[in-house]
């Protein structure tokens, strides 16, 4: 190797690193501070009670609905099986028929739009409950009494229903479209999806008003349901809490299961009315109602008082795992965000 080439190599080795070092040092210092600051801001934001409740509620809704999707669709089918129609009989007979007709897809039909609906529904419900709870809290206290819990829960229920109702009616239509209910022609091979169902409903049945059909019986039922659910849950949770106000995961599951079962059983007739009105304009289902009172009279006259409780057994089977998994996942996510 020549002396000149050796000198050139030495020069390149001595001059390049300082330039590279100087040009890279500033970007490293700038980018190392910004992500840390940004992540800390995100963590602080997520740790706020209302935001944590919103996120936790969304996760809780998606988890609970997916867990009980077959039971949820079975309940809707039984609720919408009008007078003179007896294709679906009992819990196990209905599940078997759903599997025979549509396979595993029949169990999950409508669950996609249900999760799309239930994530904002649960998120709005839990977060609005937190807001209403703070608004009506007595000065100097940290917990609500039972009447105030009922009021806060009812307000949260109404808020969440109004915010997400169009998705609920689309979910009901999807559940019934491929079921053997009434005397309709069923084309399971070309069943419409979420967007096409919503589009047809909007264009052919009255525009925006069609997307809110059945809202009145829904609100009438959901206010006491959500109020009872929150009141019973927090009451049981207070009884099971230790001296540090902590409850075990099993305790939370038990509280959620009991509160859901109590609330849904008491308000179940309103759920039947809600489903009937959501499909009230569909042909060949065997019923058509002009008002809530007309529906109550017609159902009890043609189907007996138990017509108001169609699908209750399926509902009780699903409500325990649904509410238990919902409350457990909600509290776990909320605690994770607030204790980070």
């Amino acid at each position: 190797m020549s002396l000149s080439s050796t000198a050139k190599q030495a020069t390149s080795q001595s001059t390049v690193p300082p330039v590279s070092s100087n040009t890279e040092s500033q970007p490293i210092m700038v980018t190392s501070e910004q992500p840390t600051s940004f992540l800390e801001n995100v963590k602080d934001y997520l740790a706020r009670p209302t935001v944590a409740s919103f996120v936790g509620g969304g996760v809780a809704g998606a988890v609970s609905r997916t867990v009980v999707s077959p039971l949820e669709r079975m309940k809707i089918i039984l609720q919408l099986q009008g007078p003179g129609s007896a294709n679906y009989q009992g819990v196990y007979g209905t599940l078997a028929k759903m599997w025979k007709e549509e396979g595993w897809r029949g169990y999950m039909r409508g669950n996609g739009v249900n999760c799309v609906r239930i994530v904002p529904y649960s998120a709005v419900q839990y977060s609005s409950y937190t807001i209403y709870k703070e608004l009506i809290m007595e000065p100097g206290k940290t917990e609500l009494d039972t009447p105030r819990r009922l009021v806060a829960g009812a307000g949260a229920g109404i808020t969440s229903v109004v915010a997400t109702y169009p998705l609920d009616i689309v979910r009901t239509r999807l559940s019934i479209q491929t079921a053997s209910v009434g005397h309709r022609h069923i084309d399971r091979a070309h069943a419409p999806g979420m967007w096409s169902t919503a589009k047809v409903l909007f264009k052919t049945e009255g525009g925006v008003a069609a997307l809110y059909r059945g809202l009145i019986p829904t609100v009438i039922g959901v206010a006491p349901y959500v109020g009872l659910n929150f009141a019973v849950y927090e009451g049981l949770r207070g009884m099971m809490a230790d001296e540090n106000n902590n409850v075990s995961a099993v305790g939370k599951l038990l509280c959620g299961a009991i509160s859901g079962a109590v609330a849904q059983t008491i308000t179940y007739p309103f759920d039947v009315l809600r489903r009937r009105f959501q499909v009230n304009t569909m042909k060949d289902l065997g019923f058509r109602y002009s008002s809530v009172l007309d529906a109550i009279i017609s159902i009890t006259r043609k189907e007996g008082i138990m017509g108001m409780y169609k699908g209750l057994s399926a509902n009780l089977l699903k409500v325990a795992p649904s509410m238990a998994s919902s409350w457990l996942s909600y509290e776990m996510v909320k605690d994770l965000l607030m204790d980070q």
Side-chain angles (χ1 to χ4, degrees), residues 7-300:
K8 287 180 182 179
Q9 183 178 359
T11 303
S12 64
Q13 289 178 348
S14 61
T15 57
V16 172
V19 174
S20 175
S21 173
N22 290 337
T23 56
E24 291 180 0
S25 60
Q26 285 186 339
I28 291 175
M29 291 178 64
V30 172
T31 56
S32 64
E33 291 179 2
Q34 288 181 342
T36 303
S37 174
F38 175 74
L39 290 176
E40 287 178 355
N41 290 335
V42 171
K43 288 181 179 180
D44 290 341
Y45 179 75
L46 291 175
R48 297 176 183 177
T50 303
V51 177
S53 296
F54 188 91
V55 176
V59 174
V63 170
S64 63
R65 295 297 170 170
T66 302
V67 167
V68 299
S69 179
L71 296 174
E72 174 69 17
R73 189 186 179 217
M74 174 178 62
K75 181 200 77 169
I76 293 174
I77 290 174
L78 292 174
Q79 286 177 326
L80 298 179
Q81 191 168 239
S85 178
N87 290 325
Y88 298 92
Q89 293 290 327
V91 172
Y92 299 108
T94 302
L95 287 174
K97 187 172 179 61
M98 287 166 58
W99 178 267
K100 183 179 179 180
E101 291 178 340
E102 302 179 65
W104 67 271
R105 295 178 186 275
Y107 286 164
M108 304 303 292
R109 180 157 181 79
N111 187 59
V113 67
N114 202 28
C115 285
V116 171
R117 176 189 76 88
I118 206 64
V119 169
Y121 175 87
S122 295
V124 171
Q125 184 181 102
Y126 282 103
S127 57
S128 60
Y129 178 74
T130 302
I131 294 171
Y132 296 144
K133 186 177 177 180
E134 292 174 355
L135 287 174
I136 63 176
M137 184 82 69
E138 289 185 278
K141 292 190 176 182
T142 57
E143 291 295 333
L144 298 177
D145 55 21
T146 300
R148 284 183 171 82
R149 283 175 181 168
L150 288 170
V151 171
I158 293 172
T159 303
S160 55
V161 162
V162 173
T164 61
Y165 192 80
L167 291 171
D168 187 40
I169 193 171
V170 171
R171 188 265 188 276
T172 301
R173 294 293 182 102
L174 287 174
S175 294
I176 200 68
Q177 278 171 345
T178 56
S180 302
V181 175
H183 307 286
R184 301 170 301 114
H185 171 69
I186 300 171
D187 184 6
R188 295 190 177 97
H190 302 91
M194 177 177 68
W195 295 114
S196 56
T197 299
K199 192 183 298 182
V200 170
L201 185 63
F202 181 85
K203 286 184 176 180
T204 63
E205 297 190 28
V208 175
L211 297 175
Y212 283 89
R213 183 174 292 112
L215 180 63
I216 292 176
T218 302
V219 169
I220 293 173
V222 81
Y225 164 69
V226 178
L228 283 168
N229 190 21
F230 277 105
V232 174
Y233 179 83
E234 292 200 348
L236 291 172
R237 192 183 188 283
M239 293 169 60
M240 292 187 177
D242 57 23
E243 60 275 7
N244 297 320
N245 199 33
N246 294 322
V247 181
S248 65
V250 175
K252 291 173 182 177
L253 284 169
L254 186 60
C255 291
I258 294 174
S259 65
V262 169
Q264 290 233 6
T265 300
I266 292 174
T267 62
Y268 191 77
F270 292 106
D271 194 46
V272 173
L273 291 173
R274 170 175 66 137
R275 297 300 182 189
R276 293 287 179 101
F277 272 95
Q278 287 178 339
V279 298
N280 196 37
T281 55
M282 292 181 71
K283 297 180 180 179
D284 301 321
L285 284 178
F287 54 81
R288 183 67 64 88
Y289 311 117
S290 59
S291 66
V292 174
L293 181 61
D294 176 52
I296 295 172
I297 294 173
S298 178
I299 292 172
T300 53

